[in-house]
PDB file of all heavy atoms in Angstrom:
ATOM      1  N   GLN A   3     -25.893 -28.279  20.500  1.00  0.00           N
ATOM      2  CA  GLN A   3     -25.918 -29.190  21.640  1.00  0.00           C
ATOM      3  C   GLN A   3     -27.212 -30.015  21.695  1.00  0.00           C
ATOM      4  O   GLN A   3     -27.211 -31.132  22.192  1.00  0.00           O
ATOM      5  CB  GLN A   3     -25.707 -28.421  22.942  1.00  0.00           C
ATOM      6  CG  GLN A   3     -24.323 -27.837  23.081  1.00  0.00           C
ATOM      7  CD  GLN A   3     -23.238 -28.882  22.965  1.00  0.00           C
ATOM      8  OE1 GLN A   3     -23.305 -29.965  23.553  1.00  0.00           O
ATOM      9  NE2 GLN A   3     -22.212 -28.569  22.174  1.00  0.00           N
ATOM     10  N   PHE A   4     -28.306 -29.498  21.190  1.00  0.00           N
ATOM     11  CA  PHE A   4     -29.539 -30.280  21.121  1.00  0.00           C
ATOM     12  C   PHE A   4     -29.398 -31.450  20.145  1.00  0.00           C
ATOM     13  O   PHE A   4     -29.939 -32.523  20.374  1.00  0.00           O
ATOM     14  CB  PHE A   4     -30.722 -29.398  20.693  1.00  0.00           C
ATOM     15  CG  PHE A   4     -31.231 -28.514  21.790  1.00  0.00           C
ATOM     16  CD1 PHE A   4     -30.991 -27.152  21.750  1.00  0.00           C
ATOM     17  CD2 PHE A   4     -31.925 -29.039  22.870  1.00  0.00           C
ATOM     18  CE1 PHE A   4     -31.453 -26.332  22.755  1.00  0.00           C
ATOM     19  CE2 PHE A   4     -32.393 -28.220  23.880  1.00  0.00           C
ATOM     20  CZ  PHE A   4     -32.150 -26.857  23.832  1.00  0.00           C
ATOM     21  N   PHE A   5     -28.672 -31.239  19.061  1.00  0.00           N
ATOM     22  CA  PHE A   5     -28.506 -32.288  18.057  1.00  0.00           C
ATOM     23  C   PHE A   5     -27.502 -33.346  18.461  1.00  0.00           C
ATOM     24  O   PHE A   5     -27.581 -34.486  18.023  1.00  0.00           O
ATOM     25  CB  PHE A   5     -28.107 -31.677  16.708  1.00  0.00           C
ATOM     26  CG  PHE A   5     -29.191 -30.854  16.088  1.00  0.00           C
ATOM     27  CD1 PHE A   5     -29.053 -29.487  15.993  1.00  0.00           C
ATOM     28  CD2 PHE A   5     -30.369 -31.440  15.617  1.00  0.00           C
ATOM     29  CE1 PHE A   5     -30.056 -28.715  15.433  1.00  0.00           C
ATOM     30  CE2 PHE A   5     -31.367 -30.673  15.068  1.00  0.00           C
ATOM     31  CZ  PHE A   5     -31.219 -29.310  14.968  1.00  0.00           C
ATOM     32  N   CYS A   6     -26.533 -32.975  19.296  1.00  0.00           N
ATOM     33  CA  CYS A   6     -25.522 -33.956  19.706  1.00  0.00           C
ATOM     34  C   CYS A   6     -25.824 -34.540  21.082  1.00  0.00           C
ATOM     35  O   CYS A   6     -24.997 -35.253  21.658  1.00  0.00           O
ATOM     36  CB  CYS A   6     -24.128 -33.356  19.658  1.00  0.00           C
ATOM     37  SG  CYS A   6     -23.799 -32.166  20.954  1.00  0.00           S
ATOM     38  N   GLY A   7     -26.995 -34.240  21.641  1.00  0.00           N
ATOM     39  CA  GLY A   7     -27.388 -34.823  22.920  1.00  0.00           C
ATOM     40  C   GLY A   7     -26.601 -34.280  24.096  1.00  0.00           C
ATOM     41  O   GLY A   7     -26.362 -34.993  25.067  1.00  0.00           O
ATOM     42  N   PHE A   8     -26.150 -33.038  24.033  1.00  0.00           N
ATOM     43  CA  PHE A   8     -25.386 -32.393  25.097  1.00  0.00           C
ATOM     44  C   PHE A   8     -24.147 -33.192  25.496  1.00  0.00           C
ATOM     45  O   PHE A   8     -23.806 -33.302  26.664  1.00  0.00           O
ATOM     46  CB  PHE A   8     -26.275 -32.127  26.324  1.00  0.00           C
ATOM     47  CG  PHE A   8     -27.375 -31.160  26.054  1.00  0.00           C
ATOM     48  CD1 PHE A   8     -28.645 -31.600  25.738  1.00  0.00           C
ATOM     49  CD2 PHE A   8     -27.127 -29.801  26.101  1.00  0.00           C
ATOM     50  CE1 PHE A   8     -29.659 -30.705  25.478  1.00  0.00           C
ATOM     51  CE2 PHE A   8     -28.132 -28.895  25.843  1.00  0.00           C
ATOM     52  CZ  PHE A   8     -29.408 -29.344  25.527  1.00  0.00           C
ATOM     53  N   SER A   9     -23.493 -33.753  24.495  1.00  0.00           N
ATOM     54  CA  SER A   9     -22.298 -34.555  24.768  1.00  0.00           C
ATOM     55  C   SER A   9     -21.055 -33.705  24.972  1.00  0.00           C
ATOM     56  O   SER A   9     -20.031 -34.196  25.426  1.00  0.00           O
ATOM     57  CB  SER A   9     -22.057 -35.536  23.613  1.00  0.00           C
ATOM     58  OG  SER A   9     -21.719 -34.817  22.442  1.00  0.00           O
ATOM     59  N   GLY A  10     -21.111 -32.442  24.602  1.00  0.00           N
ATOM     60  CA  GLY A  10     -19.948 -31.573  24.749  1.00  0.00           C
ATOM     61  C   GLY A  10     -19.034 -31.612  23.545  1.00  0.00           C
ATOM     62  O   GLY A  10     -17.959 -31.010  23.568  1.00  0.00           O
ATOM     63  N   SER A  11     -19.412 -32.333  22.515  1.00  0.00           N
ATOM     64  CA  SER A  11     -18.568 -32.383  21.319  1.00  0.00           C
ATOM     65  C   SER A  11     -18.631 -31.047  20.586  1.00  0.00           C
ATOM     66  O   SER A  11     -19.615 -30.315  20.658  1.00  0.00           O
ATOM     67  CB  SER A  11     -19.013 -33.513  20.389  1.00  0.00           C
ATOM     68  OG  SER A  11     -20.303 -33.255  19.895  1.00  0.00           O
ATOM     69  N   SER A  12     -17.577 -30.752  19.888  1.00  0.00           N
ATOM     70  CA  SER A  12     -17.476 -29.483  19.179  1.00  0.00           C
ATOM     71  C   SER A  12     -18.055 -29.626  17.775  1.00  0.00           C
ATOM     72  O   SER A  12     -17.838 -30.635  17.096  1.00  0.00           O
ATOM     73  CB  SER A  12     -16.011 -29.060  19.099  1.00  0.00           C
ATOM     74  OG  SER A  12     -15.900 -27.862  18.389  1.00  0.00           O
ATOM     75  N   MET A  13     -18.773 -28.629  17.359  1.00  0.00           N
ATOM     76  CA  MET A  13     -19.415 -28.669  16.060  1.00  0.00           C
ATOM     77  C   MET A  13     -18.415 -28.478  14.925  1.00  0.00           C
ATOM     78  O   MET A  13     -18.529 -29.093  13.872  1.00  0.00           O
ATOM     79  CB  MET A  13     -20.482 -27.575  15.990  1.00  0.00           C
ATOM     80  CG  MET A  13     -21.263 -27.552  14.716  1.00  0.00           C
ATOM     81  SD  MET A  13     -22.558 -26.339  14.765  1.00  0.00           S
ATOM     82  CE  MET A  13     -21.667 -24.881  14.371  1.00  0.00           C
ATOM     83  N   ILE A  14     -17.428 -27.619  15.149  1.00  0.00           N
ATOM     84  CA  ILE A  14     -16.433 -27.338  14.106  1.00  0.00           C
ATOM     85  C   ILE A  14     -15.040 -27.466  14.709  1.00  0.00           C
ATOM     86  O   ILE A  14     -14.867 -27.450  15.927  1.00  0.00           O
ATOM     87  CB  ILE A  14     -16.637 -25.930  13.512  1.00  0.00           C
ATOM     88  CG1 ILE A  14     -16.717 -24.870  14.609  1.00  0.00           C
ATOM     89  CG2 ILE A  14     -17.869 -25.863  12.650  1.00  0.00           C
ATOM     90  CD1 ILE A  14     -16.860 -23.462  14.101  1.00  0.00           C
ATOM     91  N   ASP A  15     -14.069 -27.578  13.836  1.00  0.00           N
ATOM     92  CA  ASP A  15     -12.690 -27.700  14.290  1.00  0.00           C
ATOM     93  C   ASP A  15     -12.239 -26.411  14.976  1.00  0.00           C
ATOM     94  O   ASP A  15     -12.768 -25.335  14.726  1.00  0.00           O
ATOM     95  CB  ASP A  15     -11.761 -27.984  13.104  1.00  0.00           C
ATOM     96  CG  ASP A  15     -12.008 -29.359  12.514  1.00  0.00           C
ATOM     97  OD1 ASP A  15     -12.491 -30.229  13.263  1.00  0.00           O
ATOM     98  OD2 ASP A  15     -11.727 -29.547  11.312  1.00  0.00           O
ATOM     99  N   TYR A  16     -11.216 -26.560  15.809  1.00  0.00           N
ATOM    100  CA  TYR A  16     -10.731 -25.406  16.546  1.00  0.00           C
ATOM    101  C   TYR A  16     -10.140 -24.350  15.627  1.00  0.00           C
ATOM    102  O   TYR A  16     -10.307 -23.151  15.862  1.00  0.00           O
ATOM    103  CB  TYR A  16      -9.706 -25.842  17.600  1.00  0.00           C
ATOM    104  CG  TYR A  16     -10.337 -26.528  18.769  1.00  0.00           C
ATOM    105  CD1 TYR A  16     -10.100 -27.866  19.025  1.00  0.00           C
ATOM    106  CD2 TYR A  16     -11.187 -25.828  19.618  1.00  0.00           C
ATOM    107  CE1 TYR A  16     -10.697 -28.503  20.094  1.00  0.00           C
ATOM    108  CE2 TYR A  16     -11.785 -26.454  20.695  1.00  0.00           C
ATOM    109  CZ  TYR A  16     -11.531 -27.788  20.925  1.00  0.00           C
ATOM    110  OH  TYR A  16     -12.131 -28.407  21.987  1.00  0.00           O
ATOM    111  N   TRP A  17      -9.456 -24.753  14.583  1.00  0.00           N
ATOM    112  CA  TRP A  17      -8.858 -23.757  13.700  1.00  0.00           C
ATOM    113  C   TRP A  17      -9.932 -22.971  12.963  1.00  0.00           C
ATOM    114  O   TRP A  17      -9.750 -21.799  12.653  1.00  0.00           O
ATOM    115  CB  TRP A  17      -7.858 -24.400  12.731  1.00  0.00           C
ATOM    116  CG  TRP A  17      -8.494 -25.321  11.723  1.00  0.00           C
ATOM    117  CD1 TRP A  17      -8.745 -26.639  11.847  1.00  0.00           C
ATOM    118  CD2 TRP A  17      -8.953 -24.942  10.425  1.00  0.00           C
ATOM    119  NE1 TRP A  17      -9.350 -27.130  10.725  1.00  0.00           N
ATOM    120  CE2 TRP A  17      -9.479 -26.102   9.825  1.00  0.00           C
ATOM    121  CE3 TRP A  17      -8.982 -23.748   9.710  1.00  0.00           C
ATOM    122  CZ2 TRP A  17     -10.029 -26.096   8.550  1.00  0.00           C
ATOM    123  CZ3 TRP A  17      -9.522 -23.750   8.443  1.00  0.00           C
ATOM    124  CH2 TRP A  17     -10.033 -24.918   7.870  1.00  0.00           C
ATOM    125  N   GLN A  18     -11.081 -23.578  12.707  1.00  0.00           N
ATOM    126  CA  GLN A  18     -12.175 -22.834  12.086  1.00  0.00           C
ATOM    127  C   GLN A  18     -12.800 -21.848  13.064  1.00  0.00           C
ATOM    128  O   GLN A  18     -13.180 -20.742  12.685  1.00  0.00           O
ATOM    129  CB  GLN A  18     -13.237 -23.799  11.563  1.00  0.00           C
ATOM    130  CG  GLN A  18     -12.787 -24.579  10.349  1.00  0.00           C
ATOM    131  CD  GLN A  18     -13.791 -25.643   9.953  1.00  0.00           C
ATOM    132  OE1 GLN A  18     -14.509 -26.176  10.792  1.00  0.00           O
ATOM    133  NE2 GLN A  18     -13.824 -25.949   8.660  1.00  0.00           N
ATOM    134  N   MET A  19     -12.902 -22.230  14.337  1.00  0.00           N
ATOM    135  CA  MET A  19     -13.406 -21.290  15.343  1.00  0.00           C
ATOM    136  C   MET A  19     -12.444 -20.116  15.504  1.00  0.00           C
ATOM    137  O   MET A  19     -12.876 -18.967  15.632  1.00  0.00           O
ATOM    138  CB  MET A  19     -13.592 -22.000  16.692  1.00  0.00           C
ATOM    139  CG  MET A  19     -14.835 -22.862  16.743  1.00  0.00           C
ATOM    140  SD  MET A  19     -15.318 -23.339  18.410  1.00  0.00           S
ATOM    141  CE  MET A  19     -14.032 -24.466  18.865  1.00  0.00           C
ATOM    142  N   ILE A  20     -11.152 -20.400  15.499  1.00  0.00           N
ATOM    143  CA  ILE A  20     -10.162 -19.331  15.607  1.00  0.00           C
ATOM    144  C   ILE A  20     -10.256 -18.401  14.403  1.00  0.00           C
ATOM    145  O   ILE A  20     -10.215 -17.177  14.541  1.00  0.00           O
ATOM    146  CB  ILE A  20      -8.752 -19.931  15.761  1.00  0.00           C
ATOM    147  CG1 ILE A  20      -8.622 -20.600  17.120  1.00  0.00           C
ATOM    148  CG2 ILE A  20      -7.690 -18.861  15.582  1.00  0.00           C
ATOM    149  CD1 ILE A  20      -7.357 -21.412  17.286  1.00  0.00           C
ATOM    150  N   PHE A  21     -10.394 -18.975  13.203  1.00  0.00           N
ATOM    151  CA  PHE A  21     -10.524 -18.154  12.005  1.00  0.00           C
ATOM    152  C   PHE A  21     -11.792 -17.301  12.048  1.00  0.00           C
ATOM    153  O   PHE A  21     -11.777 -16.128  11.678  1.00  0.00           O
ATOM    154  CB  PHE A  21     -10.513 -19.036  10.756  1.00  0.00           C
ATOM    155  CG  PHE A  21     -10.688 -18.259   9.487  1.00  0.00           C
ATOM    156  CD1 PHE A  21      -9.642 -17.484   8.993  1.00  0.00           C
ATOM    157  CD2 PHE A  21     -11.886 -18.279   8.798  1.00  0.00           C
ATOM    158  CE1 PHE A  21      -9.795 -16.753   7.835  1.00  0.00           C
ATOM    159  CE2 PHE A  21     -12.049 -17.552   7.643  1.00  0.00           C
ATOM    160  CZ  PHE A  21     -10.999 -16.782   7.149  1.00  0.00           C
ATOM    161  N   PHE A  22     -12.888 -17.883  12.520  1.00  0.00           N
ATOM    162  CA  PHE A  22     -14.141 -17.132  12.637  1.00  0.00           C
ATOM    163  C   PHE A  22     -13.957 -15.924  13.547  1.00  0.00           C
ATOM    164  O   PHE A  22     -14.308 -14.792  13.196  1.00  0.00           O
ATOM    165  CB  PHE A  22     -15.242 -18.053  13.181  1.00  0.00           C
ATOM    166  CG  PHE A  22     -16.529 -17.357  13.500  1.00  0.00           C
ATOM    167  CD1 PHE A  22     -17.454 -17.092  12.504  1.00  0.00           C
ATOM    168  CD2 PHE A  22     -16.816 -16.957  14.799  1.00  0.00           C
ATOM    169  CE1 PHE A  22     -18.652 -16.448  12.792  1.00  0.00           C
ATOM    170  CE2 PHE A  22     -18.006 -16.310  15.093  1.00  0.00           C
ATOM    171  CZ  PHE A  22     -18.917 -16.061  14.088  1.00  0.00           C
ATOM    172  N   ASN A  23     -13.398 -16.156  14.728  1.00  0.00           N
ATOM    173  CA  ASN A  23     -13.188 -15.054  15.667  1.00  0.00           C
ATOM    174  C   ASN A  23     -12.169 -14.052  15.136  1.00  0.00           C
ATOM    175  O   ASN A  23     -12.351 -12.848  15.285  1.00  0.00           O
ATOM    176  CB  ASN A  23     -12.740 -15.583  17.025  1.00  0.00           C
ATOM    177  CG  ASN A  23     -13.876 -15.558  18.016  1.00  0.00           C
ATOM    178  OD1 ASN A  23     -14.830 -14.843  17.845  1.00  0.00           O
ATOM    179  ND2 ASN A  23     -13.756 -16.365  19.044  1.00  0.00           N
ATOM    180  N   LEU A  24     -11.109 -14.538  14.527  1.00  0.00           N
ATOM    181  CA  LEU A  24     -10.084 -13.642  14.004  1.00  0.00           C
ATOM    182  C   LEU A  24     -10.646 -12.769  12.893  1.00  0.00           C
ATOM    183  O   LEU A  24     -10.452 -11.553  12.870  1.00  0.00           O
ATOM    184  CB  LEU A  24      -8.890 -14.447  13.488  1.00  0.00           C
ATOM    185  CG  LEU A  24      -7.747 -13.635  12.897  1.00  0.00           C
ATOM    186  CD1 LEU A  24      -7.073 -12.839  13.996  1.00  0.00           C
ATOM    187  CD2 LEU A  24      -6.752 -14.541  12.217  1.00  0.00           C
ATOM    188  N   PHE A  25     -11.380 -13.361  11.977  1.00  0.00           N
ATOM    189  CA  PHE A  25     -11.924 -12.604  10.855  1.00  0.00           C
ATOM    190  C   PHE A  25     -12.977 -11.598  11.310  1.00  0.00           C
ATOM    191  O   PHE A  25     -12.963 -10.441  10.914  1.00  0.00           O
ATOM    192  CB  PHE A  25     -12.530 -13.560   9.816  1.00  0.00           C
ATOM    193  CG  PHE A  25     -13.114 -12.855   8.635  1.00  0.00           C
ATOM    194  CD1 PHE A  25     -12.283 -12.293   7.671  1.00  0.00           C
ATOM    195  CD2 PHE A  25     -14.481 -12.728   8.491  1.00  0.00           C
ATOM    196  CE1 PHE A  25     -12.812 -11.618   6.587  1.00  0.00           C
ATOM    197  CE2 PHE A  25     -15.024 -12.058   7.407  1.00  0.00           C
ATOM    198  CZ  PHE A  25     -14.186 -11.506   6.449  1.00  0.00           C
ATOM    199  N   PHE A  26     -13.882 -12.020  12.179  1.00  0.00           N
ATOM    200  CA  PHE A  26     -14.973 -11.147  12.589  1.00  0.00           C
ATOM    201  C   PHE A  26     -14.595 -10.176  13.704  1.00  0.00           C
ATOM    202  O   PHE A  26     -15.400  -9.323  14.064  1.00  0.00           O
ATOM    203  CB  PHE A  26     -16.192 -11.967  13.007  1.00  0.00           C
ATOM    204  CG  PHE A  26     -16.942 -12.509  11.832  1.00  0.00           C
ATOM    205  CD1 PHE A  26     -16.852 -13.849  11.491  1.00  0.00           C
ATOM    206  CD2 PHE A  26     -17.717 -11.679  11.051  1.00  0.00           C
ATOM    207  CE1 PHE A  26     -17.538 -14.349  10.406  1.00  0.00           C
ATOM    208  CE2 PHE A  26     -18.402 -12.169   9.962  1.00  0.00           C
ATOM    209  CZ  PHE A  26     -18.317 -13.506   9.636  1.00  0.00           C
ATOM    210  N   THR A  27     -13.413 -10.304  14.278  1.00  0.00           N
ATOM    211  CA  THR A  27     -12.996  -9.323  15.282  1.00  0.00           C
ATOM    212  C   THR A  27     -11.827  -8.473  14.828  1.00  0.00           C
ATOM    213  O   THR A  27     -11.430  -7.566  15.545  1.00  0.00           O
ATOM    214  CB  THR A  27     -12.625 -10.004  16.613  1.00  0.00           C
ATOM    215  OG1 THR A  27     -11.597 -10.945  16.370  1.00  0.00           O
ATOM    216  CG2 THR A  27     -13.815 -10.645  17.253  1.00  0.00           C
ATOM    217  N   SER A  28     -11.254  -8.739  13.663  1.00  0.00           N
ATOM    218  CA  SER A  28     -10.139  -7.906  13.211  1.00  0.00           C
ATOM    219  C   SER A  28     -10.506  -7.030  12.016  1.00  0.00           C
ATOM    220  O   SER A  28     -10.144  -5.861  11.978  1.00  0.00           O
ATOM    221  CB  SER A  28      -8.934  -8.777  12.868  1.00  0.00           C
ATOM    222  OG  SER A  28      -9.254  -9.636  11.789  1.00  0.00           O
ATOM    223  N   VAL A  29     -11.236  -7.565  11.060  1.00  0.00           N
ATOM    224  CA  VAL A  29     -11.543  -6.794   9.859  1.00  0.00           C
ATOM    225  C   VAL A  29     -12.545  -5.659  10.130  1.00  0.00           C
ATOM    226  O   VAL A  29     -12.278  -4.512   9.760  1.00  0.00           O
ATOM    227  CB  VAL A  29     -12.031  -7.732   8.731  1.00  0.00           C
ATOM    228  CG1 VAL A  29     -12.462  -6.944   7.517  1.00  0.00           C
ATOM    229  CG2 VAL A  29     -10.931  -8.711   8.357  1.00  0.00           C
ATOM    230  N   PRO A  30     -13.695  -5.912  10.763  1.00  0.00           N
ATOM    231  CA  PRO A  30     -14.645  -4.800  10.988  1.00  0.00           C
ATOM    232  C   PRO A  30     -14.082  -3.638  11.810  1.00  0.00           C
ATOM    233  O   PRO A  30     -14.316  -2.485  11.446  1.00  0.00           O
ATOM    234  CB  PRO A  30     -15.820  -5.471  11.700  1.00  0.00           C
ATOM    235  CG  PRO A  30     -15.769  -6.877  11.233  1.00  0.00           C
ATOM    236  CD  PRO A  30     -14.309  -7.198  11.118  1.00  0.00           C
ATOM    237  N   PRO A  31     -13.338  -3.872  12.900  1.00  0.00           N
ATOM    238  CA  PRO A  31     -12.780  -2.708  13.599  1.00  0.00           C
ATOM    239  C   PRO A  31     -11.831  -1.891  12.724  1.00  0.00           C
ATOM    240  O   PRO A  31     -11.815  -0.668  12.815  1.00  0.00           O
ATOM    241  CB  PRO A  31     -12.027  -3.318  14.794  1.00  0.00           C
ATOM    242  CG  PRO A  31     -12.697  -4.606  15.042  1.00  0.00           C
ATOM    243  CD  PRO A  31     -13.121  -5.100  13.698  1.00  0.00           C
ATOM    244  N   LEU A  32     -11.051  -2.562  11.875  1.00  0.00           N
ATOM    245  CA  LEU A  32     -10.161  -1.814  10.987  1.00  0.00           C
ATOM    246  C   LEU A  32     -10.955  -0.992   9.983  1.00  0.00           C
ATOM    247  O   LEU A  32     -10.632   0.174   9.721  1.00  0.00           O
ATOM    248  CB  LEU A  32      -9.218  -2.773  10.257  1.00  0.00           C
ATOM    249  CG  LEU A  32      -8.175  -3.460  11.121  1.00  0.00           C
ATOM    250  CD1 LEU A  32      -7.396  -4.495  10.320  1.00  0.00           C
ATOM    251  CD2 LEU A  32      -7.226  -2.431  11.710  1.00  0.00           C
ATOM    252  N   LEU A  33     -11.999  -1.586   9.421  1.00  0.00           N
ATOM    253  CA  LEU A  33     -12.823  -0.856   8.458  1.00  0.00           C
ATOM    254  C   LEU A  33     -13.573   0.293   9.136  1.00  0.00           C
ATOM    255  O   LEU A  33     -13.618   1.408   8.599  1.00  0.00           O
ATOM    256  CB  LEU A  33     -13.803  -1.802   7.767  1.00  0.00           C
ATOM    257  CG  LEU A  33     -13.186  -2.808   6.812  1.00  0.00           C
ATOM    258  CD1 LEU A  33     -14.242  -3.757   6.266  1.00  0.00           C
ATOM    259  CD2 LEU A  33     -12.477  -2.103   5.677  1.00  0.00           C
ATOM    260  N   PHE A  34     -14.176   0.031  10.292  1.00  0.00           N
ATOM    261  CA  PHE A  34     -14.874   1.101  11.004  1.00  0.00           C
ATOM    262  C   PHE A  34     -13.906   2.215  11.405  1.00  0.00           C
ATOM    263  O   PHE A  34     -14.224   3.391  11.279  1.00  0.00           O
ATOM    264  CB  PHE A  34     -15.554   0.562  12.266  1.00  0.00           C
ATOM    265  CG  PHE A  34     -16.959   0.111  12.045  1.00  0.00           C
ATOM    266  CD1 PHE A  34     -17.297  -1.217  12.177  1.00  0.00           C
ATOM    267  CD2 PHE A  34     -17.940   1.010  11.715  1.00  0.00           C
ATOM    268  CE1 PHE A  34     -18.588  -1.636  11.980  1.00  0.00           C
ATOM    269  CE2 PHE A  34     -19.247   0.600  11.521  1.00  0.00           C
ATOM    270  CZ  PHE A  34     -19.571  -0.730  11.649  1.00  0.00           C
ATOM    271  N   GLY A  35     -12.738   1.829  11.886  1.00  0.00           N
ATOM    272  CA  GLY A  35     -11.771   2.823  12.339  1.00  0.00           C
ATOM    273  C   GLY A  35     -11.240   3.700  11.231  1.00  0.00           C
ATOM    274  O   GLY A  35     -10.941   4.873  11.445  1.00  0.00           O
ATOM    275  N   ALA A  36     -11.127   3.155  10.033  1.00  0.00           N
ATOM    276  CA  ALA A  36     -10.563   3.926   8.927  1.00  0.00           C
ATOM    277  C   ALA A  36     -11.605   4.648   8.089  1.00  0.00           C
ATOM    278  O   ALA A  36     -11.347   5.735   7.578  1.00  0.00           O
ATOM    279  CB  ALA A  36      -9.752   2.995   8.031  1.00  0.00           C
ATOM    280  N   LEU A  37     -12.783   4.071   7.944  1.00  0.00           N
ATOM    281  CA  LEU A  37     -13.727   4.595   6.965  1.00  0.00           C
ATOM    282  C   LEU A  37     -14.990   5.216   7.536  1.00  0.00           C
ATOM    283  O   LEU A  37     -15.664   5.973   6.833  1.00  0.00           O
ATOM    284  CB  LEU A  37     -14.132   3.472   5.996  1.00  0.00           C
ATOM    285  CG  LEU A  37     -12.979   2.783   5.272  1.00  0.00           C
ATOM    286  CD1 LEU A  37     -13.500   1.628   4.446  1.00  0.00           C
ATOM    287  CD2 LEU A  37     -12.220   3.767   4.398  1.00  0.00           C
ATOM    288  N   ASP A  38     -15.368   4.895   8.756  1.00  0.00           N
ATOM    289  CA  ASP A  38     -16.667   5.328   9.273  1.00  0.00           C
ATOM    290  C   ASP A  38     -16.615   6.768   9.776  1.00  0.00           C
ATOM    291  O   ASP A  38     -15.973   7.068  10.789  1.00  0.00           O
ATOM    292  CB  ASP A  38     -17.116   4.405  10.401  1.00  0.00           C
ATOM    293  CG  ASP A  38     -18.529   4.703  10.842  1.00  0.00           C
ATOM    294  OD1 ASP A  38     -19.344   5.053   9.976  1.00  0.00           O
ATOM    295  OD2 ASP A  38     -18.802   4.575  12.047  1.00  0.00           O
ATOM    296  N   LYS A  39     -17.268   7.660   9.052  1.00  0.00           N
ATOM    297  CA  LYS A  39     -17.412   9.059   9.448  1.00  0.00           C
ATOM    298  C   LYS A  39     -18.844   9.452   9.133  1.00  0.00           C
ATOM    299  O   LYS A  39     -19.189   9.713   7.990  1.00  0.00           O
ATOM    300  CB  LYS A  39     -16.426   9.940   8.683  1.00  0.00           C
ATOM    301  CG  LYS A  39     -14.991   9.620   9.003  1.00  0.00           C
ATOM    302  CD  LYS A  39     -14.044  10.440   8.184  1.00  0.00           C
ATOM    303  CE  LYS A  39     -12.623  10.023   8.526  1.00  0.00           C
ATOM    304  NZ  LYS A  39     -11.654  10.613   7.645  1.00  0.00           N
ATOM    305  N   ASP A  40     -19.695   9.465  10.167  1.00  0.00           N
ATOM    306  CA  ASP A  40     -21.116   9.713   9.941  1.00  0.00           C
ATOM    307  C   ASP A  40     -21.424  11.147   9.533  1.00  0.00           C
ATOM    308  O   ASP A  40     -22.385  11.404   8.820  1.00  0.00           O
ATOM    309  CB  ASP A  40     -21.928   9.314  11.171  1.00  0.00           C
ATOM    310  CG  ASP A  40     -21.486  10.037  12.421  1.00  0.00           C
ATOM    311  OD1 ASP A  40     -20.384  10.606  12.420  1.00  0.00           O
ATOM    312  OD2 ASP A  40     -22.241  10.026  13.402  1.00  0.00           O
ATOM    313  N   VAL A  41     -20.613  12.101   9.971  1.00  0.00           N
ATOM    314  CA  VAL A  41     -20.797  13.506   9.640  1.00  0.00           C
ATOM    315  C   VAL A  41     -19.427  14.074   9.272  1.00  0.00           C
ATOM    316  O   VAL A  41     -18.414  13.693   9.863  1.00  0.00           O
ATOM    317  CB  VAL A  41     -21.396  14.295  10.839  1.00  0.00           C
ATOM    318  CG1 VAL A  41     -21.638  15.738  10.501  1.00  0.00           C
ATOM    319  CG2 VAL A  41     -22.678  13.650  11.322  1.00  0.00           C
ATOM    320  N   SER A  42     -19.381  14.987   8.319  1.00  0.00           N
ATOM    321  CA  SER A  42     -18.103  15.555   7.893  1.00  0.00           C
ATOM    322  C   SER A  42     -17.508  16.448   8.984  1.00  0.00           C
ATOM    323  O   SER A  42     -18.214  16.962   9.854  1.00  0.00           O
ATOM    324  CB  SER A  42     -18.275  16.360   6.609  1.00  0.00           C
ATOM    325  OG  SER A  42     -19.033  17.530   6.873  1.00  0.00           O
ATOM    326  N   ALA A  43     -16.208  16.639   8.910  1.00  0.00           N
ATOM    327  CA  ALA A  43     -15.509  17.453   9.905  1.00  0.00           C
ATOM    328  C   ALA A  43     -15.976  18.906   9.865  1.00  0.00           C
ATOM    329  O   ALA A  43     -16.113  19.553  10.913  1.00  0.00           O
ATOM    330  CB  ALA A  43     -14.005  17.375   9.672  1.00  0.00           C
TER     331      ALA A  43
END
């Protein structure tokens, strides 16, 4: 927003923002849920 003069314009396309959120909110929880075991049973 400093570079665009607070015009409210979007830096990236909406589909890229959706992909960013989808990728970073779906893959890590699946990996943590399946693989993360800090101590053995």
